[in-house]
Amino acid sequence: MPDRDAPNAGLLIDGARVPSASGATVPVRNPATGAVLAYVAQAGVEDAHSAVEAAQRSYAAGSWRRATVAERARVLLRLADLIRANAEELARLESSNVGKPIGESRGEIAMGADCFQFYAGQIPSFGGHTVPVSAPGTGLTFRESVGVCVLIVPWNFPFAITTWKVSPALAMGNSVVVKPASATPLSALRLGELALEAGLPPGVLNILPGPGGAVGTALVTHPAVRKISFTGSTEVGAGVMRLAADDIKRVSLELGGKSANIVFADADLAKAGAAIFSVFGNAGQDCCSRSRVLVERLVYNEFVERYVERTRALRIGDPLDDATEIGSLISPEHRAKVDAYVRKGVEQGAKLCIGGAIKRGGMYDAGSFYEPAVFADVTPDMVIAQEEIFGPVVSIIPFDSEEEAIKLANGSIYGLSGSLWTRDIGRALRVVRAVETGVISVNTGWSVHMEMPFGGVKRSGVGRELGPSALEHYSEQKSVFISDE
Ligand code: NAP
């Protein structure tokens, strides 16, 4: 439905909010209400080229690239403060645009601010080395910025993932173009404004909402772009990697997942059974979602009962209400896809214990609400146990031994995240080493920490975000040898 009062929102190119070259705009909606939040300028190929050229000019001018570490850190810290000063506005914007509970958005905005602070603190100690070499002279390495970086972001954690990429990229002195998801560009555009207010020179951070197919491709293939960091689906990520290959661009990919949550019989079952947000957080639209719960058969029935009871108590509702635990899915189309997976699970013989239906009535009719689904008696070959559903659907699968649990956990094309629950420290160490994944946690369903590397193996991606090592992905090493002779 059109909303005449919704504001227009321009692209951010070269320090200014501008219309797209074609003048096209698209309505960006609140998925929980269907209301138009803003008419956002829709970039095309011409705008993609303008944004890269603005980034290229700012990089060549050098005021950011050559700024001292202390100067860059000061701007990043000011930006962190500005995010905190505007945190509630940003959290409401994010919840309205994504449909996620306000409590989750507040946490993500806070983490975004902390990321800028973290990398401001990292850069003074991130440098090269002197290297002993077997020739008369001195070996040195430098860490240098890469150049123009294109950062492509999905719709499920728009602000958080933008900050994960932008903060190390800027910390190293690069100039960047962010391509937010078409459905959720608003918080990234606001971040761009705050960055200018913090003192970032114009053109260093450009924000370009537009369709992934045309704009994403134009950005990825632009010859001036040196590094691409992509978060999104495995299918699109593979295409990005292929396109980047021609110019040998540096690529890091954070892709899909189908992570396992392994519960051994000796675990604290009350804690493990209550950790349902490792699947239902963000209404299951989470790459880290532990959507396969593997449970030792000895405690399988008890665990399923606990899980179902906790799911029954979930509060589904208005994302802006503090009490809400499950908001809206991103769109009716996405909800239909999730629902089709649930129907497939039933058809293949899994037992639907609770949920798995479109939430209807009253306010729910305006949004894309879905009742979280718990499936028991799932076998590993079923579609719901193999494919990334990206919605509030969990498959609980029994196992009989540690070896079988590891085999099941590794029986996926993905390898992003995961958890295991046990009181046996020896087993915990064996299993964390054996599971093919980039990230895993013990006795908690949470594993994203700003201070630690985050990313996947197998078809979940290449490269790591967060942690000190993210700076490596946004810098080049230069080796210098100075002869004594
Ligand atoms: P997506 O469809 O792959 O889109 C991701 C981003 O890529 C969007 O900005 C999209 O733009 C853009 N894009 C689309 N086609 C493109 C192309 N040909 N070239 C360049 N860019 C293109 O993924 P999504 O549906 O937004 O997000 C869900 C997926 O992301 C899930 O698979 C999830 O697991 C994954 N994810 C992974 C992580 C992680 O850290 N591993 C984190 C979050 C999400 P448009 O919006 O305009 O299409």
Side-chain angles (χ1 to χ4, degrees), residues 152-157 161 164 179-183 210-217 220 230-234 236-237 240 243 253-257 286-288 388 390 416 454-456 460 465:
I152 303 178
V153 177
W155 49 259
N156 58 340
F157 295 104
I161 292 177
W164 296 5
K179 213 288 297 162
S182 294
V215 171
T217 303
V220 168
F230 172 89
T231 300
S233 60
T234 296
V236 175
V240 165
L243 285 177
L253 303 171
E254 300 285 349
L255 308 174
D286 181 352
C287 53
C288 286
E388 183 184 42
F390 222 55
L416 183 57
F454 171 79
S460 288
E465 298 200 295

Side-chain angles (χ1 to χ4, degrees), residues 7-13 16-28 38-44 47 179-182 185-186 189 207-211 215:
N8 285 315
L11 314 170
L12 180 68
I13 301 180
R17 295 295 294 271
V18 294
S20 59
S22 70
T25 61
V26 284
V28 167
Y39 290 93
V40 176
Q42 190 177 37
D47 304 293
K179 213 288 297 162
S182 294
L186 301 180
L189 286 166
I207 316 276
L208 201 71
V215 171

Side-chain angles (χ1 to χ4, degrees), residues 72-359:
R72 268 184 273 142
R74 262 197 299 278
V75 172
L76 298 181
L77 291 172
R78 270 202 298 270
L79 179 51
D81 285 344
L82 282 168
I83 293 170
R84 291 183 187 118
N86 293 278
E88 191 57 21
E89 174 216 325
L90 282 163
R92 292 181 79 80
L93 189 63
E94 192 78 333
S95 278
S96 302
N97 197 177
V98 186
K100 67 171 72 198
I102 186 75
E104 293 188 23
S105 293
R106 287 187 185 120
E108 291 160 25
I109 303 299
M111 186 186 188
D114 289 347
C115 272
F116 285 100
Q117 179 176 317
F118 178 75
Y119 289 107
Q122 290 293 311
I123 45 177
S125 56
F126 183 75
H129 304 282
T130 55
V131 186
V133 288
S134 38
T138 305
L140 300 171
T141 60
F142 291 103
R143 279 280 175 184
E144 297 183 338
S145 52
V146 177
V148 176
C149 304
V150 162
L151 314 177
I152 303 178
V153 177
W155 49 259
N156 58 340
F157 295 104
F159 189 80
I161 292 177
T162 301
T163 60
W164 296 5
K165 295 180 189 301
V166 168
S167 54
L170 293 185
M172 287 311 302
N174 299 290
S175 288
V176 311
V177 180
V178 175
K179 213 288 297 162
S182 294
T184 57
L186 301 180
S187 58
L189 286 166
R190 187 74 184 106
L191 176 72
E193 289 177 342
L194 294 176
L196 289 169
E197 202 180 322
L200 194 71
V204 174
L205 173 60
N206 305 276
I207 316 276
L208 201 71
V215 171
T217 303
L219 292 172
V220 168
T221 53
H222 195 294
V225 170
R226 303 287 285 276
K227 150 92 191 169
I228 298 146
S229 173
F230 172 89
T231 300
S233 60
T234 296
E235 189 189 358
V236 175
V240 165
M241 199 175 199
R242 276 192 290 273
L243 285 177
D246 282 345
D247 288 338
I248 319 290
K249 289 177 176 144
R250 303 180 59 163
V251 181
S252 43
L253 303 171
E254 300 285 349
L255 308 174
K258 188 76 186 175
S259 300
N261 196 4
I262 310 172
V263 182
F264 288 97
D266 70 332
D268 178 342
L269 283 196
K271 217 170 137 194
I276 59 172
F277 289 99
S278 64
V279 183
F280 297 147
N282 208 30
Q285 302 164 123
D286 181 352
C287 53
C288 286
S289 171
R290 279 94 162 141
S291 53
R292 296 182 297 146
V293 182
L294 315 178
V295 183
E296 195 164 357
R297 202 179 300 274
L298 285 171
V299 294
Y300 185 79
N301 291 337
E302 182 188 344
F303 182 88
V304 171
E305 258 172 50
R306 284 179 191 272
Y307 214 91
V308 169
E309 282 324 301
R310 181 62 189 93
T311 302
R312 200 185 306 285
L314 278 172
R315 289 181 297 253
I316 306 172
D318 176 3
L320 296 178
D321 181 340
D322 281 344
T324 293
E325 295 177 303
I326 305 277
S328 170
L329 299 195
I330 191 69
S331 66
E333 297 76 27
H334 185 62
R335 180 175 64 177
K337 201 178 129 204
V338 170
D339 193 51
Y341 272 114
V342 170
R343 307 281 75 83
K344 188 77 185 168
V346 172
E347 185 191 310
Q348 291 193 320
K351 180 177 161 200
L352 181 58
C353 302
I354 189 171
I358 290 173
K359 183 97 178 144

